[in-house]
Amino acid sequence: MANLQSDFVGIKSPNPFWLASAPPTDKEYNVRRAFEAGWGGVVWKTLGSEGPPVVNVNGPRYGAIYGADRRLLGLNNIELITDRDLYTNLEEIKRVKADYPDRAVVVSIMVPCEEEAWKAILPLVEDTGADGIELNFGCPHGMSERGMGAAVGQVPEYIEMVTRWCKQYYSKPVIVKLTPNITDIRKPAAAAKAGGADAVSLINTINSITSVNLDTMSPEPSIDGKGSHGGYCGPAVKPIAMSMVSEIARGADTRGLPISGIGGVTTWRDAAEFITLGCGNVQVCTAAMTYGFKIVQEMISGLSDWMDEKGHSSIADFSGAAVPNVTDWQYLNLNYVSKAKIDQESCISCGRCYAACEDTSHQAISMSADRVFEVIDAECVACNLCVNVCPVENCITMEAMEPGLTDPRTGREVAADYANWTTHPNNPAAVKAAE
Protein backbone atom coordinates (compact mmCIF):
# COMPACT_ATOMS: atom_id res chain seq x y z
CA MET A 1 0.00 0.00 0.00
CA ALA A 2 1.17 3.50 -0.84
CA ASN A 3 2.04 5.70 2.11
CA LEU A 4 0.19 9.01 1.76
CA GLN A 5 1.74 10.56 4.86
CA SER A 6 2.95 14.10 4.32
CA ASP A 7 5.78 15.99 5.98
CA PHE A 8 5.53 19.53 4.68
CA VAL A 9 8.24 21.79 6.16
CA GLY A 10 8.06 19.70 9.33
CA ILE A 11 4.27 19.79 9.54
CA LYS A 12 3.06 16.19 9.51
CA SER A 13 -0.34 14.98 8.33
CA PRO A 14 -1.74 11.55 7.39
CA ASN A 15 -2.27 12.62 3.79
CA PRO A 16 -1.40 15.63 1.58
CA PHE A 17 -4.99 16.91 1.34
CA TRP A 18 -5.54 20.08 3.36
CA LEU A 19 -8.55 22.38 3.39
CA ALA A 20 -7.59 25.90 2.34
CA SER A 21 -8.28 28.99 4.39
CA ALA A 22 -11.90 29.74 3.45
CA PRO A 23 -15.49 29.33 4.71
CA PRO A 24 -15.03 25.54 5.26
CA THR A 25 -12.41 26.25 7.95
CA ASP A 26 -14.13 29.16 9.67
CA LYS A 27 -15.03 27.42 12.92
CA GLU A 28 -14.42 24.45 15.19
CA TYR A 29 -17.58 22.62 14.10
CA ASN A 30 -16.53 22.62 10.45
CA VAL A 31 -12.95 21.60 11.12
CA ARG A 32 -13.94 18.69 13.36
CA ARG A 33 -16.30 17.42 10.65
CA ALA A 34 -13.50 17.77 8.11
CA PHE A 35 -11.06 15.76 10.20
CA GLU A 36 -13.64 13.06 10.83
CA ALA A 37 -14.17 12.85 7.05
CA GLY A 38 -10.44 12.24 6.55
CA TRP A 39 -8.77 15.55 5.68
CA GLY A 40 -5.09 15.57 6.53
CA GLY A 41 -4.97 19.20 7.57
CA VAL A 42 -6.64 22.59 7.51
CA VAL A 43 -5.60 26.19 7.17
CA TRP A 44 -7.92 28.02 9.55
CA LYS A 45 -9.85 30.84 7.95
CA THR A 46 -7.88 34.10 8.10
CA LEU A 47 -7.73 35.80 11.47
CA GLY A 48 -7.46 39.56 11.82
CA SER A 49 -6.16 41.73 14.63
CA GLU A 50 -8.04 43.08 17.62
CA GLY A 51 -10.03 46.24 17.04
CA PRO A 52 -13.12 47.10 15.02
CA PRO A 53 -14.81 43.85 13.92
CA VAL A 54 -14.83 42.75 10.30
CA VAL A 55 -18.33 43.07 8.86
CA ASN A 56 -19.28 40.80 5.96
CA VAL A 57 -22.22 41.41 3.64
CA ASN A 58 -25.54 39.81 4.54
CA GLY A 59 -26.55 39.33 0.95
CA PRO A 60 -25.21 36.93 -1.69
CA ARG A 61 -21.45 36.32 -1.37
CA TYR A 62 -20.84 34.02 -4.33
CA GLY A 63 -21.10 34.21 -8.08
CA ALA A 64 -20.63 31.20 -10.35
CA ILE A 65 -19.57 30.06 -13.81
CA TYR A 66 -21.20 26.84 -14.98
CA GLY A 67 -20.49 24.24 -17.64
CA ALA A 68 -23.16 23.08 -20.06
CA ASP A 69 -24.40 20.50 -17.54
CA ARG A 70 -24.50 23.13 -14.76
CA ARG A 71 -21.37 21.70 -13.25
CA LEU A 72 -19.64 24.38 -11.23
CA LEU A 73 -16.48 25.47 -13.06
CA GLY A 74 -15.64 28.64 -11.19
CA LEU A 75 -16.74 30.40 -8.03
CA ASN A 76 -16.38 34.11 -7.31
CA ASN A 77 -16.62 35.31 -3.72
CA ILE A 78 -16.78 38.72 -2.07
CA GLU A 79 -16.43 37.40 1.47
CA LEU A 80 -13.84 38.95 3.76
CA ILE A 81 -11.67 37.34 6.43
CA THR A 82 -13.35 35.86 9.49
CA ASP A 83 -15.94 38.07 11.15
CA ARG A 84 -15.80 35.97 14.31
CA ASP A 85 -14.10 37.21 17.47
CA LEU A 86 -10.33 36.68 17.50
CA TYR A 87 -10.24 35.05 20.92
CA THR A 88 -13.12 32.72 20.11
CA ASN A 89 -11.16 31.50 17.10
CA LEU A 90 -7.98 31.08 19.12
CA GLU A 91 -9.76 29.01 21.78
CA GLU A 92 -11.31 26.78 19.11
CA ILE A 93 -7.98 26.28 17.35
CA LYS A 94 -6.39 25.23 20.62
CA ARG A 95 -9.12 22.67 21.35
CA VAL A 96 -9.09 21.22 17.84
CA LYS A 97 -5.31 20.82 17.75
CA ALA A 98 -5.34 19.13 21.16
CA ASP A 99 -7.98 16.66 20.03
CA TYR A 100 -6.39 15.94 16.63
CA PRO A 101 -2.62 15.93 17.26
CA ASP A 102 -1.93 13.92 14.10
CA ARG A 103 -3.61 16.47 11.80
CA ALA A 104 -2.05 19.63 10.44
CA VAL A 105 -3.56 22.84 11.80
CA VAL A 106 -2.15 26.00 10.22
CA VAL A 107 -3.53 29.46 10.99
CA SER A 108 -3.99 32.05 8.28
CA ILE A 109 -3.33 35.62 9.40
CA MET A 110 -3.92 39.07 7.89
CA VAL A 111 -3.24 42.20 9.91
CA PRO A 112 -2.10 45.72 8.93
CA CYS A 113 1.36 46.00 7.42
CA GLU A 114 2.84 47.28 10.68
CA GLU A 115 5.40 45.46 12.81
CA GLU A 116 3.50 45.99 16.07
CA ALA A 117 0.33 44.43 14.65
CA TRP A 118 2.18 41.24 13.71
CA LYS A 119 4.18 41.25 16.93
CA ALA A 120 0.93 41.37 18.91
CA ILE A 121 -0.96 38.54 17.21
CA LEU A 122 1.82 36.00 16.66
CA PRO A 123 2.29 34.99 20.32
CA LEU A 124 -1.47 34.51 20.63
CA VAL A 125 -1.47 32.14 17.67
CA GLU A 126 1.62 30.31 18.89
CA ASP A 127 -0.09 29.68 22.22
CA THR A 128 -2.80 27.63 20.47
CA GLY A 129 -0.32 24.87 19.63
CA ALA A 130 -1.09 25.20 15.91
CA ASP A 131 1.58 23.76 13.61
CA GLY A 132 2.34 26.92 11.66
CA ILE A 133 0.97 30.09 10.12
CA GLU A 134 0.06 31.16 6.60
CA LEU A 135 0.41 34.84 5.75
CA ASN A 136 -2.55 35.89 3.63
CA PHE A 137 -0.97 38.14 1.02
CA GLY A 138 -3.44 37.14 -1.66
CA CYS A 139 -7.02 38.24 -0.99
CA PRO A 140 -7.91 40.56 -3.92
CA HIS A 141 -11.06 42.20 -2.56
CA GLY A 142 -12.25 44.12 0.46
CA MET A 143 -9.11 43.75 2.52
CA SER A 144 -6.78 44.85 -0.28
CA GLU A 145 -8.52 48.22 -0.33
CA ARG A 146 -7.46 48.51 3.31
CA GLY A 147 -3.79 47.95 2.52
CA MET A 148 -3.75 44.22 3.30
CA GLY A 149 -4.06 40.98 1.34
CA ALA A 150 -3.09 41.41 -2.32
CA ALA A 151 -2.01 44.99 -1.62
CA VAL A 152 0.93 43.47 0.24
CA GLY A 153 1.33 40.48 -2.07
CA GLN A 154 1.84 42.72 -5.09
CA VAL A 155 4.85 44.45 -3.50
CA PRO A 156 7.82 42.10 -3.05
CA GLU A 157 9.51 44.46 -0.60
CA TYR A 158 6.47 44.29 1.70
CA ILE A 159 6.39 40.50 1.47
CA GLU A 160 10.01 40.22 2.51
CA MET A 161 9.58 42.74 5.32
CA VAL A 162 6.51 41.12 6.90
CA THR A 163 7.95 37.63 6.49
CA ARG A 164 11.06 38.73 8.42
CA TRP A 165 8.87 40.05 11.22
CA CYS A 166 7.02 36.76 11.43
CA LYS A 167 10.20 34.71 11.49
CA GLN A 168 11.45 36.98 14.26
CA TYR A 169 8.37 36.74 16.47
CA TYR A 170 7.13 33.22 15.68
CA SER A 171 9.04 29.97 16.13
CA LYS A 172 7.13 27.57 13.89
CA PRO A 173 6.90 27.29 10.08
CA VAL A 174 5.82 30.39 8.16
CA ILE A 175 4.04 29.84 4.85
CA VAL A 176 3.46 32.82 2.55
CA LYS A 177 0.29 32.71 0.47
CA LEU A 178 0.82 34.44 -2.87
CA THR A 179 -1.56 36.39 -5.04
CA PRO A 180 -1.89 35.45 -8.73
CA ASN A 181 -2.83 39.05 -9.53
CA ILE A 182 0.70 39.90 -10.56
CA THR A 183 2.78 39.74 -13.73
CA ASP A 184 5.68 37.52 -12.59
CA ILE A 185 4.95 35.16 -9.69
CA ARG A 186 8.65 34.44 -9.23
CA LYS A 187 9.35 37.89 -7.77
CA PRO A 188 7.02 37.67 -4.75
CA ALA A 189 8.11 34.06 -4.22
CA ALA A 190 11.75 35.12 -4.20
CA ALA A 191 10.89 37.90 -1.75
CA ALA A 192 9.22 35.41 0.57
CA LYS A 193 12.29 33.19 0.38
CA ALA A 194 14.58 36.16 1.07
CA GLY A 195 12.49 36.99 4.12
CA GLY A 196 13.04 33.50 5.50
CA ALA A 197 9.72 31.89 4.60
CA ASP A 198 9.63 28.15 5.12
CA ALA A 199 7.27 27.71 2.14
CA VAL A 200 4.85 29.46 -0.18
CA SER A 201 1.28 28.52 -1.03
CA LEU A 202 -0.49 29.46 -4.26
CA ILE A 203 -2.59 30.53 -5.86
CA ASN A 204 -4.98 32.71 -3.94
CA THR A 205 -8.08 33.83 -5.80
CA ILE A 206 -8.01 35.74 -9.09
CA ASN A 207 -9.57 39.21 -9.24
CA SER A 208 -12.82 38.86 -11.16
CA ILE A 209 -16.39 39.76 -12.00
CA THR A 210 -18.14 36.59 -13.11
CA SER A 211 -21.36 38.01 -14.55
CA VAL A 212 -23.66 41.03 -14.87
CA ASN A 213 -27.41 40.90 -14.28
CA LEU A 214 -28.81 42.36 -17.49
CA ASP A 215 -32.09 43.30 -15.81
CA THR A 216 -30.60 45.26 -12.91
CA MET A 217 -27.33 46.11 -14.66
CA SER A 218 -25.45 45.04 -11.54
CA PRO A 219 -22.48 42.69 -11.25
CA GLU A 220 -23.27 39.39 -9.52
CA PRO A 221 -23.40 38.71 -6.65
CA SER A 222 -25.46 41.87 -6.22
CA ILE A 223 -25.93 43.67 -2.89
CA ASP A 224 -28.85 46.11 -3.00
CA GLY A 225 -28.25 46.86 -6.68
CA LYS A 226 -24.45 47.12 -6.51
CA GLY A 227 -21.70 44.58 -7.12
CA SER A 228 -17.96 44.41 -6.58
CA HIS A 229 -14.97 42.55 -7.91
CA GLY A 230 -14.22 39.37 -5.98
CA GLY A 231 -11.92 36.38 -5.87
CA TYR A 232 -12.25 33.65 -8.52
CA CYS A 233 -11.47 30.01 -7.73
CA GLY A 234 -12.48 26.48 -8.71
CA PRO A 235 -11.60 24.09 -11.56
CA ALA A 236 -11.33 26.95 -14.06
CA VAL A 237 -8.25 28.41 -12.34
CA LYS A 238 -6.26 25.16 -12.19
CA PRO A 239 -4.24 25.81 -15.40
CA ILE A 240 -3.18 29.24 -14.15
CA ALA A 241 -2.24 27.84 -10.76
CA MET A 242 -0.15 25.00 -12.19
CA SER A 243 1.75 27.35 -14.48
CA MET A 244 2.62 29.64 -11.58
CA VAL A 245 3.62 26.70 -9.40
CA SER A 246 5.92 25.42 -12.14
CA GLU A 247 7.55 28.83 -12.55
CA ILE A 248 8.50 28.88 -8.88
CA ALA A 249 9.63 25.24 -8.92
CA ARG A 250 12.08 25.86 -11.76
CA GLY A 251 13.00 29.52 -11.17
CA ALA A 252 16.65 30.28 -10.52
CA ASP A 253 15.86 32.32 -7.38
CA THR A 254 13.05 30.13 -6.08
CA ARG A 255 14.09 26.57 -6.95
CA GLY A 256 13.86 24.33 -3.90
CA LEU A 257 11.34 26.52 -2.07
CA PRO A 258 8.62 24.23 -0.66
CA ILE A 259 5.21 24.80 -2.27
CA SER A 260 1.67 24.10 -1.12
CA GLY A 261 -0.45 23.91 -4.27
CA ILE A 262 -3.85 25.61 -4.44
CA GLY A 263 -6.26 26.23 -7.30
CA GLY A 264 -9.02 24.01 -8.64
CA VAL A 265 -7.96 20.74 -7.01
CA THR A 266 -11.08 18.58 -7.35
CA THR A 267 -9.81 15.03 -7.90
CA TRP A 268 -6.85 12.87 -6.91
CA ARG A 269 -5.49 13.39 -10.42
CA ASP A 270 -5.45 17.16 -9.94
CA ALA A 271 -3.51 16.67 -6.73
CA ALA A 272 -1.03 14.32 -8.37
CA GLU A 273 -0.42 16.85 -11.16
CA PHE A 274 0.32 19.64 -8.67
CA ILE A 275 2.69 17.36 -6.77
CA THR A 276 4.60 16.43 -9.94
CA LEU A 277 5.11 20.15 -10.53
CA GLY A 278 6.89 20.52 -7.21
CA CYS A 279 4.19 20.75 -4.53
CA GLY A 280 4.60 19.00 -1.20
CA ASN A 281 0.85 18.99 -0.59
CA VAL A 282 -2.34 20.56 -1.91
CA GLN A 283 -5.07 22.73 -0.46
CA VAL A 284 -8.72 22.40 -1.45
CA CYS A 285 -11.69 24.75 -1.10
CA THR A 286 -14.20 24.90 -3.95
CA ALA A 287 -14.47 21.12 -4.34
CA ALA A 288 -15.37 20.77 -0.65
CA MET A 289 -17.89 23.60 -0.93
CA THR A 290 -19.42 21.94 -3.98
CA TYR A 291 -19.49 18.29 -2.92
CA GLY A 292 -18.98 18.28 0.85
CA PHE A 293 -16.12 17.13 3.06
CA LYS A 294 -16.36 13.45 2.14
CA ILE A 295 -14.93 14.13 -1.31
CA VAL A 296 -11.53 13.71 0.34
CA GLN A 297 -12.19 9.98 0.62
CA GLU A 298 -12.26 9.68 -3.18
CA MET A 299 -9.08 11.74 -3.37
CA ILE A 300 -7.32 9.50 -0.85
CA SER A 301 -8.37 6.20 -2.45
CA GLY A 302 -7.72 7.45 -5.99
CA LEU A 303 -4.23 8.75 -5.23
CA SER A 304 -3.37 5.61 -3.26
CA ASP A 305 -4.51 3.31 -6.09
CA TRP A 306 -2.56 5.29 -8.68
CA MET A 307 0.58 5.28 -6.55
CA ASP A 308 0.29 1.51 -6.11
CA GLU A 309 -0.15 1.09 -9.86
CA LYS A 310 2.93 3.21 -10.59
CA GLY A 311 5.04 1.70 -7.83
CA HIS A 312 5.30 4.89 -5.76
CA SER A 313 5.64 4.16 -2.07
CA SER A 314 5.45 7.80 -0.93
CA ILE A 315 4.56 11.29 -2.11
CA ALA A 316 8.25 12.12 -2.30
CA ASP A 317 8.70 9.51 -5.05
CA PHE A 318 7.01 11.69 -7.66
CA SER A 319 7.09 15.17 -6.13
CA GLY A 320 8.66 17.48 -8.73
CA ALA A 321 8.99 14.71 -11.32
CA ALA A 322 7.49 16.87 -14.08
CA VAL A 323 9.54 19.99 -13.35
CA PRO A 324 12.53 19.04 -15.59
CA ASN A 325 10.11 18.67 -18.49
CA VAL A 326 8.74 22.21 -18.15
CA THR A 327 10.77 24.43 -20.46
CA ASP A 328 10.65 27.68 -22.40
CA TRP A 329 9.14 27.60 -25.89
CA GLN A 330 12.49 28.22 -27.57
CA TYR A 331 13.74 24.85 -26.33
CA LEU A 332 10.89 22.78 -27.80
CA ASN A 333 11.97 20.27 -30.41
CA LEU A 334 10.96 21.62 -33.83
CA ASN A 335 12.15 18.39 -35.41
CA TYR A 336 9.52 16.33 -33.61
CA VAL A 337 6.55 15.63 -35.91
CA SER A 338 3.17 14.04 -35.20
CA LYS A 339 -0.07 13.72 -37.15
CA ALA A 340 -3.70 13.28 -36.17
CA LYS A 341 -5.25 9.85 -36.63
CA ILE A 342 -8.98 9.08 -36.62
CA ASP A 343 -10.22 5.71 -35.36
CA GLN A 344 -13.01 4.97 -37.80
CA GLU A 345 -14.59 2.33 -35.56
CA SER A 346 -15.23 4.76 -32.71
CA CYS A 347 -16.06 7.78 -34.93
CA ILE A 348 -19.73 8.81 -34.66
CA SER A 349 -19.57 11.02 -37.79
CA CYS A 350 -20.60 14.16 -35.91
CA GLY A 351 -18.28 16.27 -38.05
CA ARG A 352 -17.03 18.50 -35.27
CA CYS A 353 -13.40 17.80 -36.13
CA TYR A 354 -14.04 18.65 -39.77
CA ALA A 355 -15.90 21.89 -38.98
CA ALA A 356 -13.22 23.06 -36.57
CA CYS A 357 -10.31 22.24 -38.86
CA GLU A 358 -11.96 23.46 -42.07
CA ASP A 359 -13.18 26.78 -40.68
CA THR A 360 -10.57 27.71 -38.11
CA SER A 361 -7.44 25.66 -38.61
CA HIS A 362 -5.51 24.06 -41.49
CA GLN A 363 -8.07 22.25 -43.68
CA ALA A 364 -6.41 18.95 -42.84
CA ILE A 365 -9.53 16.77 -42.50
CA SER A 366 -11.56 15.58 -45.48
CA MET A 367 -15.23 14.59 -45.48
CA SER A 368 -16.60 12.09 -47.99
CA ALA A 369 -20.14 12.03 -49.34
CA ASP A 370 -21.11 9.38 -46.79
CA ARG A 371 -19.51 11.37 -43.91
CA VAL A 372 -16.28 9.49 -43.46
CA PHE A 373 -13.63 11.81 -42.03
CA GLU A 374 -9.93 11.30 -42.74
CA VAL A 375 -6.78 13.27 -41.95
CA ILE A 376 -4.81 14.81 -44.81
CA ASP A 377 -1.24 14.30 -43.60
CA ALA A 378 0.21 16.85 -46.03
CA GLU A 379 -1.85 19.61 -44.37
CA CYS A 380 -1.90 18.46 -40.74
CA VAL A 381 0.28 20.56 -38.43
CA ALA A 382 -0.61 18.45 -35.37
CA CYS A 383 -2.30 21.38 -33.63
CA ASN A 384 -4.49 18.98 -31.61
CA LEU A 385 -7.68 21.00 -32.12
CA CYS A 386 -9.53 18.01 -33.57
CA VAL A 387 -8.65 15.93 -30.50
CA ASN A 388 -9.96 18.64 -28.19
CA VAL A 389 -13.30 19.15 -29.94
CA CYS A 390 -14.05 15.47 -30.57
CA PRO A 391 -16.80 14.26 -28.16
CA VAL A 392 -15.52 10.66 -28.21
CA GLU A 393 -12.50 10.07 -25.98
CA ASN A 394 -9.51 8.59 -27.84
CA CYS A 395 -11.34 8.58 -31.19
CA ILE A 396 -8.71 11.00 -32.51
CA THR A 397 -5.13 10.67 -31.32
CA MET A 398 -1.82 12.27 -32.19
CA GLU A 399 0.69 9.76 -33.57
CA ALA A 400 4.40 10.59 -33.71
CA MET A 401 6.07 10.04 -37.08
CA GLU A 402 8.94 7.59 -37.17
CA PRO A 403 12.41 9.20 -37.22
CA GLY A 404 13.87 9.21 -40.73
CA LEU A 405 10.54 9.81 -42.48
CA THR A 406 9.78 13.03 -44.33
CA ASP A 407 7.13 15.41 -43.07
CA PRO A 408 4.72 15.70 -46.04
CA ARG A 409 3.83 19.25 -45.05
CA THR A 410 7.36 20.69 -44.99
CA GLY A 411 9.41 18.10 -46.86
CA ARG A 412 11.82 18.08 -43.91
CA GLU A 413 13.18 14.82 -42.59
CA VAL A 414 12.13 13.91 -39.08
CA ALA A 415 15.21 13.96 -36.85
CA ALA A 416 16.64 10.51 -36.23
CA ASP A 417 17.90 11.48 -32.79
CA TYR A 418 15.65 13.76 -30.80
CA ALA A 419 18.15 13.70 -27.94
CA ASN A 420 20.49 15.92 -29.96
CA TRP A 421 17.92 18.69 -30.21
CA THR A 422 19.90 21.05 -27.98
CA THR A 423 22.58 21.32 -30.68
CA HIS A 424 20.43 20.70 -33.76
CA PRO A 425 20.54 23.38 -36.51
CA ASN A 426 16.72 23.57 -36.53
CA ASN A 427 16.78 24.61 -32.88
CA PRO A 428 16.69 28.44 -32.80
CA ALA A 429 18.23 28.50 -29.32
CA ALA A 430 21.13 26.35 -30.53
CA VAL A 431 21.64 28.57 -33.57
CA LYS A 432 21.66 31.69 -31.41
CA ALA A 433 24.15 30.11 -29.02
CA ALA A 434 26.40 29.11 -31.90
CA GLU A 435 26.42 32.67 -33.20
Side-chain angles (χ1 to χ4, degrees), residues 191-215:
K193 184 177 181 180
D198 296 277
V200 292
S201 59
L202 67 151
I203 58 173
N204 208 312
T205 52
I206 299 172
N207 210 8
S208 66
I209 291 178
T210 50
S211 61
V212 173
N213 186 313
L214 295 179
D215 293 320

Side-chain angles (χ1 to χ4, degrees), residues 195-263:
D198 296 277
V200 292
S201 59
L202 67 151
I203 58 173
N204 208 312
T205 52
I206 299 172
N207 210 8
S208 66
I209 291 178
T210 50
S211 61
V212 173
N213 186 313
L214 295 179
D215 293 320
T216 64
M217 296 299 168
S218 171
E220 299 283 6
S222 180
I223 306 296
D224 194 24
K226 301 289 184 181
S228 177
H229 63 94
Y232 193 52
C233 58
V237 311
K238 177 190 165 190
I240 299 168
M242 290 204 301
S243 176
M244 290 188 169
V245 163
S246 73
E247 288 300 293
I248 293 173
R250 69 191 188 96
D253 296 329
T254 55
R255 192 177 299 119
L257 182 62
I259 303 170
S260 182
I262 312 171

